[in-house]
Amino acid sequence: MRFKRRSDSPLKKKSRRGFRGYPVATIAYYGPDDVTASKVAVGILTKEDGPPDFLQRWFIEEGDARTDATITREIFEFIQSHGAKSVVMTDGIIGCPHEEGIDYPDDTACPACPFWANRNRWTGEVVP
């Protein structure tokens, strides 16, 4: 009998527990393509509906933010410091790490990340 090996990441473990009430921590990974995460954004919602009450971002120049021990520890500490009871994570990378309207003009594709130019950020499929 084969057992499915699950990640040892404390963040993934917390997210597998499901909704346990507010505050809720949301974790989203971003990267120049769908393979390497160079940015992590973590929001803390203290109530339903509305923007995050607390938001922090982490960036990494080399490697992958999903497997960086320092970033994982800092995210875990950030979540604990705000008393999050629930954690919600994206399964993969959901888009470009650059911010529309800040790093490049609104309603245009990011010039630094052509991979995401004509792609659905949730499915990864090319959109005509």
Side-chain angles (χ1 to χ4, degrees):
M1 174 185 262
R2 294 181 65 151
F3 292 98
K4 186 175 181 181
R5 175 151 171 85
R6 292 191 182 227
S7 168
D8 295 328
S9 165
L11 299 173
K12 286 187 179 179
K13 285 181 183 178
K14 282 189 77 75
S15 71
R16 282 196 304 263
R17 292 182 186 141
F19 183 73
R20 296 184 171 238
Y22 286 91
V24 174
T26 61
I27 303 172
Y29 295 99
Y30 301 89
D33 53 38
D34 63 348
V35 177
T36 306
S38 60
K39 174 183 173 182
V40 184
V42 180
I44 306 290
L45 296 104
T46 58
K47 60 190 176 305
E48 189 174 355
D49 296 329
D53 298 287
F54 306 96
L55 179 65
Q56 180 135 359
R57 297 173 184 94
W58 287 264
F59 299 90
I60 189 169
E61 293 293 322
E62 291 183 20
D64 195 310
R66 295 172 293 183
T67 57
D68 185 272
T70 302
I71 290 176
T72 301
R73 180 181 41 77
E74 290 177 6
I75 291 170
F76 197 72
E77 290 170 359
F78 178 72
I79 290 169
Q80 284 186 317
S81 72
H82 292 288
K85 295 178 182 176
S86 306
V87 175
V88 178
M89 293 178 68
T90 58
D91 285 333
I93 299 167
I94 61 166
C96 166
H98 305 99
E99 297 185 35
E100 186 176 13
I102 296 172
D103 297 319
Y104 60 94
D106 285 331
D107 300 323
T108 63
C110 176
C113 301
F115 177 84
W116 295 106
N118 295 313
R119 237 172 247 282
N120 178 306
R121 62 192 276 170
W122 302 108
T123 65
E125 296 176 4
V126 176
V127 180

